[in-house]
PDB file of all heavy atoms in Angstrom:
ATOM      1  N   ASN G   1       0.818  -1.220   0.000  1.00  0.00           N
ATOM      2  CA  ASN G   1       0.000   0.000   0.000  1.00  0.00           C
ATOM      3  C   ASN G   1       0.851   1.269   0.000  1.00  0.00           C
ATOM      4  O   ASN G   1       0.531   2.229  -0.705  1.00  0.00           O
ATOM      5  CB  ASN G   1      -0.961   0.003   1.182  1.00  0.00           C
ATOM      6  CG  ASN G   1      -2.108  -0.962   1.004  1.00  0.00           C
ATOM      7  OD1 ASN G   1      -2.475  -1.322  -0.113  1.00  0.00           O
ATOM      8  ND2 ASN G   1      -2.669  -1.408   2.113  1.00  0.00           N
ATOM      9  N   VAL G   2       1.931   1.282   0.766  1.00  0.00           N
ATOM     10  CA  VAL G   2       2.820   2.452   0.784  1.00  0.00           C
ATOM     11  C   VAL G   2       3.424   2.657  -0.598  1.00  0.00           C
ATOM     12  O   VAL G   2       3.405   3.760  -1.150  1.00  0.00           O
ATOM     13  CB  VAL G   2       3.921   2.300   1.857  1.00  0.00           C
ATOM     14  CG1 VAL G   2       5.029   3.338   1.675  1.00  0.00           C
ATOM     15  CG2 VAL G   2       3.323   2.409   3.252  1.00  0.00           C
ATOM     16  N   PHE G   3       3.979   1.603  -1.175  1.00  0.00           N
ATOM     17  CA  PHE G   3       4.645   1.731  -2.471  1.00  0.00           C
ATOM     18  C   PHE G   3       3.649   2.053  -3.582  1.00  0.00           C
ATOM     19  O   PHE G   3       3.905   2.919  -4.413  1.00  0.00           O
ATOM     20  CB  PHE G   3       5.427   0.463  -2.806  1.00  0.00           C
ATOM     21  CG  PHE G   3       6.714   0.318  -2.036  1.00  0.00           C
ATOM     22  CD1 PHE G   3       7.127   1.262  -1.116  1.00  0.00           C
ATOM     23  CD2 PHE G   3       7.519  -0.779  -2.233  1.00  0.00           C
ATOM     24  CE1 PHE G   3       8.318   1.132  -0.410  1.00  0.00           C
ATOM     25  CE2 PHE G   3       8.715  -0.925  -1.549  1.00  0.00           C
ATOM     26  CZ  PHE G   3       9.108   0.031  -0.636  1.00  0.00           C
ATOM     27  N   ARG G   4       2.519   1.381  -3.607  1.00  0.00           N
ATOM     28  CA  ARG G   4       1.522   1.641  -4.642  1.00  0.00           C
ATOM     29  C   ARG G   4       0.976   3.055  -4.498  1.00  0.00           C
ATOM     30  O   ARG G   4       0.778   3.767  -5.473  1.00  0.00           O
ATOM     31  CB  ARG G   4       0.376   0.611  -4.554  1.00  0.00           C
ATOM     32  CG  ARG G   4      -0.735   0.808  -5.563  1.00  0.00           C
ATOM     33  CD  ARG G   4      -0.192   0.663  -6.985  1.00  0.00           C
ATOM     34  NE  ARG G   4      -1.185   1.031  -7.963  1.00  0.00           N
ATOM     35  CZ  ARG G   4      -1.278   2.240  -8.541  1.00  0.00           C
ATOM     36  NH1 ARG G   4      -0.452   3.202  -8.210  1.00  0.00           N
ATOM     37  NH2 ARG G   4      -2.187   2.477  -9.448  1.00  0.00           N
ATOM     38  N   GLY G   5       0.764   3.480  -3.268  1.00  0.00           N
ATOM     39  CA  GLY G   5       0.210   4.802  -3.025  1.00  0.00           C
ATOM     40  C   GLY G   5       1.116   5.939  -3.436  1.00  0.00           C
ATOM     41  O   GLY G   5       0.642   7.019  -3.817  1.00  0.00           O
ATOM     42  N   CYS G   6       2.419   5.732  -3.398  1.00  0.00           N
ATOM     43  CA  CYS G   6       3.344   6.823  -3.744  1.00  0.00           C
ATOM     44  C   CYS G   6       3.879   6.711  -5.170  1.00  0.00           C
ATOM     45  O   CYS G   6       4.557   7.630  -5.638  1.00  0.00           O
ATOM     46  CB  CYS G   6       4.489   6.895  -2.748  1.00  0.00           C
ATOM     47  SG  CYS G   6       5.641   5.529  -2.861  1.00  0.00           S
ATOM     48  N   HIS G   7       3.582   5.629  -5.872  1.00  0.00           N
ATOM     49  CA  HIS G   7       4.147   5.425  -7.204  1.00  0.00           C
ATOM     50  C   HIS G   7       3.882   6.605  -8.140  1.00  0.00           C
ATOM     51  O   HIS G   7       4.796   7.110  -8.792  1.00  0.00           O
ATOM     52  CB  HIS G   7       3.638   4.138  -7.835  1.00  0.00           C
ATOM     53  CG  HIS G   7       4.132   3.943  -9.229  1.00  0.00           C
ATOM     54  ND1 HIS G   7       3.437   4.404 -10.328  1.00  0.00           N
ATOM     55  CD2 HIS G   7       5.268   3.391  -9.706  1.00  0.00           C
ATOM     56  CE1 HIS G   7       4.119   4.127 -11.419  1.00  0.00           C
ATOM     57  NE2 HIS G   7       5.232   3.508 -11.070  1.00  0.00           N
ATOM     58  N   ASP G   8       2.655   7.035  -8.240  1.00  0.00           N
ATOM     59  CA  ASP G   8       2.326   8.102  -9.192  1.00  0.00           C
ATOM     60  C   ASP G   8       3.029   9.409  -8.858  1.00  0.00           C
ATOM     61  O   ASP G   8       3.350  10.190  -9.751  1.00  0.00           O
ATOM     62  CB  ASP G   8       0.811   8.313  -9.264  1.00  0.00           C
ATOM     63  CG  ASP G   8       0.103   7.113  -9.898  1.00  0.00           C
ATOM     64  OD1 ASP G   8       0.793   6.290 -10.547  1.00  0.00           O
ATOM     65  OD2 ASP G   8      -1.113   6.998  -9.723  1.00  0.00           O
ATOM     66  N   LEU G   9       3.305   9.637  -7.586  1.00  0.00           N
ATOM     67  CA  LEU G   9       4.021  10.852  -7.181  1.00  0.00           C
ATOM     68  C   LEU G   9       5.506  10.773  -7.497  1.00  0.00           C
ATOM     69  O   LEU G   9       6.156  11.789  -7.705  1.00  0.00           O
ATOM     70  CB  LEU G   9       3.843  11.103  -5.685  1.00  0.00           C
ATOM     71  CG  LEU G   9       2.415  11.362  -5.210  1.00  0.00           C
ATOM     72  CD1 LEU G   9       2.365  11.386  -3.691  1.00  0.00           C
ATOM     73  CD2 LEU G   9       1.899  12.669  -5.796  1.00  0.00           C
ATOM     74  N   LEU G  10       6.041   9.548  -7.493  1.00  0.00           N
ATOM     75  CA  LEU G  10       7.485   9.362  -7.641  1.00  0.00           C
ATOM     76  C   LEU G  10       7.913   8.815  -8.990  1.00  0.00           C
ATOM     77  O   LEU G  10       9.092   8.591  -9.213  1.00  0.00           O
ATOM     78  CB  LEU G  10       7.992   8.396  -6.565  1.00  0.00           C
ATOM     79  CG  LEU G  10       7.850   8.869  -5.135  1.00  0.00           C
ATOM     80  CD1 LEU G  10       8.249   7.754  -4.191  1.00  0.00           C
ATOM     81  CD2 LEU G  10       8.691  10.103  -4.885  1.00  0.00           C
ATOM     82  N   ASN G  11       7.006   8.560  -9.880  1.00  0.00           N
ATOM     83  CA  ASN G  11       7.323   7.906 -11.140  1.00  0.00           C
ATOM     84  C   ASN G  11       8.144   8.821 -12.054  1.00  0.00           C
ATOM     85  O   ASN G  11       7.648   9.395 -13.008  1.00  0.00           O
ATOM     86  CB  ASN G  11       6.040   7.455 -11.836  1.00  0.00           C
ATOM     87  CG  ASN G  11       6.327   6.555 -13.019  1.00  0.00           C
ATOM     88  OD1 ASN G  11       7.431   6.049 -13.168  1.00  0.00           O
ATOM     89  ND2 ASN G  11       5.336   6.358 -13.854  1.00  0.00           N
ATOM     90  N   ARG G  12       9.429   8.932 -11.706  1.00  0.00           N
ATOM     91  CA  ARG G  12      10.370   9.725 -12.503  1.00  0.00           C
ATOM     92  C   ARG G  12      11.784   9.205 -12.221  1.00  0.00           C
ATOM     93  O   ARG G  12      12.031   8.614 -11.171  1.00  0.00           O
ATOM     94  CB  ARG G  12      10.242  11.199 -12.175  1.00  0.00           C
ATOM     95  CG  ARG G  12      10.562  11.560 -10.744  1.00  0.00           C
ATOM     96  CD  ARG G  12      10.351  13.067 -10.514  1.00  0.00           C
ATOM     97  NE  ARG G  12      10.597  13.412  -9.151  1.00  0.00           N
ATOM     98  CZ  ARG G  12       9.684  13.356  -8.180  1.00  0.00           C
ATOM     99  NH1 ARG G  12       8.466  12.955  -8.428  1.00  0.00           N
ATOM    100  NH2 ARG G  12       9.998  13.703  -6.955  1.00  0.00           N
ATOM    101  N   PRO G  13      12.701   9.429 -13.146  1.00  0.00           N
ATOM    102  CA  PRO G  13      14.069   8.923 -12.950  1.00  0.00           C
ATOM    103  C   PRO G  13      14.672   9.405 -11.632  1.00  0.00           C
ATOM    104  O   PRO G  13      14.517  10.563 -11.250  1.00  0.00           O
ATOM    105  CB  PRO G  13      14.819   9.504 -14.154  1.00  0.00           C
ATOM    106  CG  PRO G  13      13.760   9.671 -15.205  1.00  0.00           C
ATOM    107  CD  PRO G  13      12.517  10.080 -14.436  1.00  0.00           C
ATOM    108  N   GLY G  14      15.308   8.495 -10.949  1.00  0.00           N
ATOM    109  CA  GLY G  14      15.969   8.810  -9.683  1.00  0.00           C
ATOM    110  C   GLY G  14      15.150   8.469  -8.459  1.00  0.00           C
ATOM    111  O   GLY G  14      15.666   8.488  -7.345  1.00  0.00           O
ATOM    112  N   ALA G  15      13.878   8.141  -8.641  1.00  0.00           N
ATOM    113  CA  ALA G  15      13.044   7.797  -7.490  1.00  0.00           C
ATOM    114  C   ALA G  15      13.533   6.489  -6.878  1.00  0.00           C
ATOM    115  O   ALA G  15      13.970   5.578  -7.573  1.00  0.00           O
ATOM    116  CB  ALA G  15      11.588   7.674  -7.906  1.00  0.00           C
ATOM    117  N   SER G  16      13.435   6.406  -5.555  1.00  0.00           N
ATOM    118  CA  SER G  16      13.930   5.235  -4.841  1.00  0.00           C
ATOM    119  C   SER G  16      12.954   4.850  -3.735  1.00  0.00           C
ATOM    120  O   SER G  16      12.586   5.684  -2.919  1.00  0.00           O
ATOM    121  CB  SER G  16      15.310   5.543  -4.232  1.00  0.00           C
ATOM    122  OG  SER G  16      15.786   4.443  -3.508  1.00  0.00           O
ATOM    123  N   LEU G  17      12.558   3.593  -3.752  1.00  0.00           N
ATOM    124  CA  LEU G  17      11.705   3.041  -2.705  1.00  0.00           C
ATOM    125  C   LEU G  17      12.501   1.988  -1.953  1.00  0.00           C
ATOM    126  O   LEU G  17      13.207   1.179  -2.574  1.00  0.00           O
ATOM    127  CB  LEU G  17      10.456   2.395  -3.301  1.00  0.00           C
ATOM    128  CG  LEU G  17       9.561   3.275  -4.171  1.00  0.00           C
ATOM    129  CD1 LEU G  17       8.422   2.452  -4.741  1.00  0.00           C
ATOM    130  CD2 LEU G  17       9.041   4.441  -3.389  1.00  0.00           C
ATOM    131  N   ILE G  18      12.381   1.981  -0.638  1.00  0.00           N
ATOM    132  CA  ILE G  18      13.091   1.008   0.193  1.00  0.00           C
ATOM    133  C   ILE G  18      12.104   0.392   1.173  1.00  0.00           C
ATOM    134  O   ILE G  18      11.380   1.108   1.871  1.00  0.00           O
ATOM    135  CB  ILE G  18      14.238   1.668   0.984  1.00  0.00           C
ATOM    136  CG1 ILE G  18      15.253   2.295   0.036  1.00  0.00           C
ATOM    137  CG2 ILE G  18      14.915   0.644   1.899  1.00  0.00           C
ATOM    138  CD1 ILE G  18      16.278   3.160   0.738  1.00  0.00           C
ATOM    139  N   ALA G  19      12.090  -0.929   1.227  1.00  0.00           N
ATOM    140  CA  ALA G  19      11.291  -1.648   2.216  1.00  0.00           C
ATOM    141  C   ALA G  19      12.234  -2.252   3.246  1.00  0.00           C
ATOM    142  O   ALA G  19      13.284  -2.807   2.885  1.00  0.00           O
ATOM    143  CB  ALA G  19      10.476  -2.752   1.553  1.00  0.00           C
ATOM    144  N   ILE G  20      11.853  -2.150   4.501  1.00  0.00           N
ATOM    145  CA  ILE G  20      12.599  -2.844   5.542  1.00  0.00           C
ATOM    146  C   ILE G  20      12.035  -4.257   5.630  1.00  0.00           C
ATOM    147  O   ILE G  20      10.839  -4.459   5.812  1.00  0.00           O
ATOM    148  CB  ILE G  20      12.489  -2.129   6.901  1.00  0.00           C
ATOM    149  CG1 ILE G  20      13.002  -0.687   6.799  1.00  0.00           C
ATOM    150  CG2 ILE G  20      13.250  -2.918   7.975  1.00  0.00           C
ATOM    151  CD1 ILE G  20      14.462  -0.533   6.419  1.00  0.00           C
ATOM    152  N   THR G  21      12.912  -5.229   5.464  1.00  0.00           N
ATOM    153  CA  THR G  21      12.530  -6.631   5.544  1.00  0.00           C
ATOM    154  C   THR G  21      13.260  -7.228   6.747  1.00  0.00           C
ATOM    155  O   THR G  21      13.571  -6.509   7.690  1.00  0.00           O
ATOM    156  CB  THR G  21      12.810  -7.336   4.196  1.00  0.00           C
ATOM    157  OG1 THR G  21      12.367  -8.684   4.281  1.00  0.00           O
ATOM    158  CG2 THR G  21      14.243  -7.250   3.762  1.00  0.00           C
ATOM    159  N   ALA G  22      13.541  -8.508   6.741  1.00  0.00           N
ATOM    160  CA  ALA G  22      14.223  -9.128   7.880  1.00  0.00           C
ATOM    161  C   ALA G  22      14.833 -10.451   7.452  1.00  0.00           C
ATOM    162  O   ALA G  22      14.428 -11.040   6.444  1.00  0.00           O
ATOM    163  CB  ALA G  22      13.237  -9.360   9.026  1.00  0.00           C
ATOM    164  N   GLY G  23      15.782 -10.909   8.239  1.00  0.00           N
ATOM    165  CA  GLY G  23      16.422 -12.189   7.973  1.00  0.00           C
ATOM    166  C   GLY G  23      15.451 -13.357   7.956  1.00  0.00           C
ATOM    167  O   GLY G  23      15.701 -14.374   7.309  1.00  0.00           O
ATOM    168  N   GLN G  24      14.302 -13.195   8.645  1.00  0.00           N
ATOM    169  CA  GLN G  24      13.296 -14.248   8.650  1.00  0.00           C
ATOM    170  C   GLN G  24      12.734 -14.503   7.254  1.00  0.00           C
ATOM    171  O   GLN G  24      12.093 -15.519   7.028  1.00  0.00           O
ATOM    172  CB  GLN G  24      12.121 -13.893   9.582  1.00  0.00           C
ATOM    173  CG  GLN G  24      12.470 -13.896  11.039  1.00  0.00           C
ATOM    174  CD  GLN G  24      12.831 -12.503  11.520  1.00  0.00           C
ATOM    175  OE1 GLN G  24      13.471 -11.728  10.829  1.00  0.00           O
ATOM    176  NE2 GLN G  24      12.443 -12.191  12.736  1.00  0.00           N
ATOM    177  N   ALA G  25      12.966 -13.610   6.322  1.00  0.00           N
ATOM    178  CA  ALA G  25      12.500 -13.814   4.950  1.00  0.00           C
ATOM    179  C   ALA G  25      13.199 -14.997   4.294  1.00  0.00           C
ATOM    180  O   ALA G  25      12.637 -15.647   3.419  1.00  0.00           O
ATOM    181  CB  ALA G  25      12.731 -12.553   4.115  1.00  0.00           C
ATOM    182  N   VAL G  26      14.422 -15.274   4.711  1.00  0.00           N
ATOM    183  CA  VAL G  26      15.193 -16.357   4.094  1.00  0.00           C
ATOM    184  C   VAL G  26      15.626 -17.429   5.092  1.00  0.00           C
ATOM    185  O   VAL G  26      16.009 -18.522   4.688  1.00  0.00           O
ATOM    186  CB  VAL G  26      16.432 -15.813   3.339  1.00  0.00           C
ATOM    187  CG1 VAL G  26      16.012 -14.990   2.146  1.00  0.00           C
ATOM    188  CG2 VAL G  26      17.327 -15.010   4.246  1.00  0.00           C
TER     189      VAL G  26
END
């Protein structure tokens, strides 16, 4: 929801999205 919600605002070269994940993912 965070990433989808901000996509249209950030859809330009240089935009960067970062998600915090965890070691439990692997």
Side-chain angles (χ1 to χ4, degrees):
N1 286 336
V2 167
F3 285 0
R4 179 62 188 96
C6 70
H7 177 269
D8 292 344
L9 297 172
L10 296 174
N11 190 15
R12 62 182 178 273
S16 178
L17 303 177
I18 300 170
I20 302 298
T21 183
Q24 291 95 322
V26 294

